[in-house]
Amino acid sequence: MSLPSSARAIGLDLPRHPSRLVPTVIAVIVGVVVLGAAAALPIPWDDLGSLPGQVAHYLGLMFAAPNWEMLPQALFETWRSISMAWIGAIGCVIVSIPLGMLAATGVGPIWVRLPLRGLFAIIRAVPEVIIALLLLTVTGLTPFTGALALAIAGIGTQAKWVYETIESVQEGASEAVKAAGGNTAEVTRWALWPAAAPALLSFALYRFEINIRTSAVLGLVGAGGIGSMLANYTNFRQWDTVGMLLIVVVLATMLMDAVSGAIRRRIMRGPRVRATATPREEHTDVARVS
C-alpha cells in the first residue's frame, strides 16, 4: 500500500500539490512580451557576428596608446565632477532629511505624509538626465546645473530611505520620551534621530557615491565636468584621448568609492576598541620577565 492511501486510511488529509498553472502562464506572457519587444526593434542581426571584432578594434584604439598629454585637464574636470557630486549630495541630504522625517509614520500627520510620499515617488520616476535637460533652459550649461539636478533627483530616493529608517527604529526610546511628557518634536529629536543618525549618514555617503557616477553621465548633456570632455572627444573620434579619460574616470570612481565605503563602515560599526591588558595580566607579564 502506498503512503498517500495509508494516510487516507487512518484519516489524515494530505495537502494538495501546488498548482503550476499561474507561474507557467506568467512565464509564457513574459516570454511573449520579450520576444515581441525584440522583434519590434530594428536590430541588424546579421552584423552581430562582427560585433566582437569591432569592440576589440576600438578598445585597441583607446587603450593601446592613451594620450596622456591631456591628463592635467582631465584631472581638473574630474575634480569639477566630484565637486558637482558633493554639492548635489549635500543639497539632497539637507532637504530630504527633514522632509523624510515628516513623511514617516508617527511623526507627520497623514495629510502631510501622503503628499510627501507621492512627491518622492514622482521625483524617483524622473531620471537625472531629464531633470538636467529641464534645468538647462534656466541655469545654462554650467556645473551648477549638474549639481542642482543631482540634488533634486536624489531627494526622492534619499527621503524614502529616511522615513523607512525612522519607521524601523525600535519604539523603546520613543515610548520613554512620551512617558516623560515629550511631544512629537521632542520624540523626534531625542529618540528617533539619535537611533537613526548613523544609518542616515551612511545613506548620505552612499548618495555621494551614486552622484559621482551620475555626474559623468550628466556631463554628456552639457552639465560640465569630465562627462562633457568625454563627449567632446568622442564626437571628434579622438580615441586615444577617450581611452585616457575612461582610465581617469574609472580610477577616480574606485578611489572615491573606497574612501566613502571606509567612512560608511566606520560610521556603522563605530571606532575600534583596542584590547588592553588587565592589571592581573600585567602583573603576570612582569613576573615572567623578572
Side-chain angles (χ1 to χ4, degrees):
M1 183 179 294
S2 61
L3 181 60
S5 58
S6 301
R8 293 191 184 94
I10 60 177
L12 294 178
D13 293 331
L14 295 179
R16 294 182 178 181
H17 292 285
S19 176
R20 303 294 300 175
L21 178 61
V22 175
T24 302
V25 171
I26 294 176
V28 171
I29 294 175
V30 171
V32 171
V33 171
V34 171
L35 292 177
L41 293 176
I43 300 177
W45 299 102
D46 298 336
D47 297 338
L48 292 181
S50 61
L51 184 61
Q54 294 179 2
V55 171
H57 172 68
Y58 284 104
L59 289 178
L61 293 177
M62 288 187 291
F63 300 111
N67 181 18
W68 297 107
E69 295 180 358
M70 303 299 296
L71 180 61
Q73 183 180 356
L75 294 177
F76 175 73
E77 295 296 336
T78 302
W79 174 250
R80 294 180 68 178
S81 295
I82 295 175
S83 302
M84 186 194 313
W86 180 246
I87 294 174
I90 292 177
C92 168
V93 170
I94 291 176
V95 176
S96 62
I97 286 181
L99 293 182
M101 285 187 170
L102 287 175
T105 303
V107 178
I110 188 171
W111 56 269
V112 174
R113 293 199 312 268
L114 293 182
L116 283 177
R117 295 193 180 194
L119 176 63
F120 301 152
I122 294 174
I123 295 176
R124 288 196 304 271
V126 182
E128 292 89 347
V129 176
I130 303 299
I131 297 177
L133 291 175
L134 295 176
L135 293 175
L136 285 176
T137 59
V138 180
T139 57
L141 298 174
T142 62
F144 175 71
T145 302
L148 190 59
L150 291 173
I152 295 175
I155 290 175
T157 305
Q158 192 75 21
K160 181 177 181 178
W161 289 342
V162 170
Y163 71 73
E164 288 182 349
T165 303
I166 294 297
E167 292 175 351
S168 64
V169 172
Q170 296 182 357
E171 298 181 357
S174 301
E175 294 176 354
V177 176
K178 291 178 182 178
N183 53 26
T184 302
E186 292 171 340
V187 169
T188 304
R189 170 62 183 89
W190 301 109
L192 299 179
W193 171 251
L200 296 182
L201 293 177
S202 177
F203 288 147
L205 288 173
Y206 185 58
R207 168 53 54 184
F208 172 58
E209 296 179 15
I210 296 174
N211 285 355
I212 290 178
R213 300 180 182 89
T214 310
S215 62
V217 179
L218 293 182
L220 299 177
V221 297
I226 191 66
S228 296
M229 188 176 180
L230 184 61
N232 292 333
Y233 282 97
T234 301
N235 292 332
F236 288 106
R237 301 296 191 269
Q238 298 185 15
W239 301 115
D240 53 349
T241 305
V242 172
M244 181 272 299
L245 293 175
L246 291 177
I247 293 174
V248 171
V249 169
V250 171
L251 292 179
T253 303
M254 293 176 61
L255 176 61
M256 298 308 299
D257 284 352
V259 173
S260 178
I263 297 175
R264 285 195 291 112
R265 287 191 295 270
R266 179 65 179 269
I267 292 174
M268 296 302 296
R269 300 176 184 176
R272 294 182 179 180
V273 179
R274 296 182 179 180
T276 58
T278 60
R280 182 176 180 181
E281 292 174 346
E282 293 178 354
H283 178 73
T284 304
D285 294 339
V286 173
R288 291 177 180 175
V289 174
S290 61

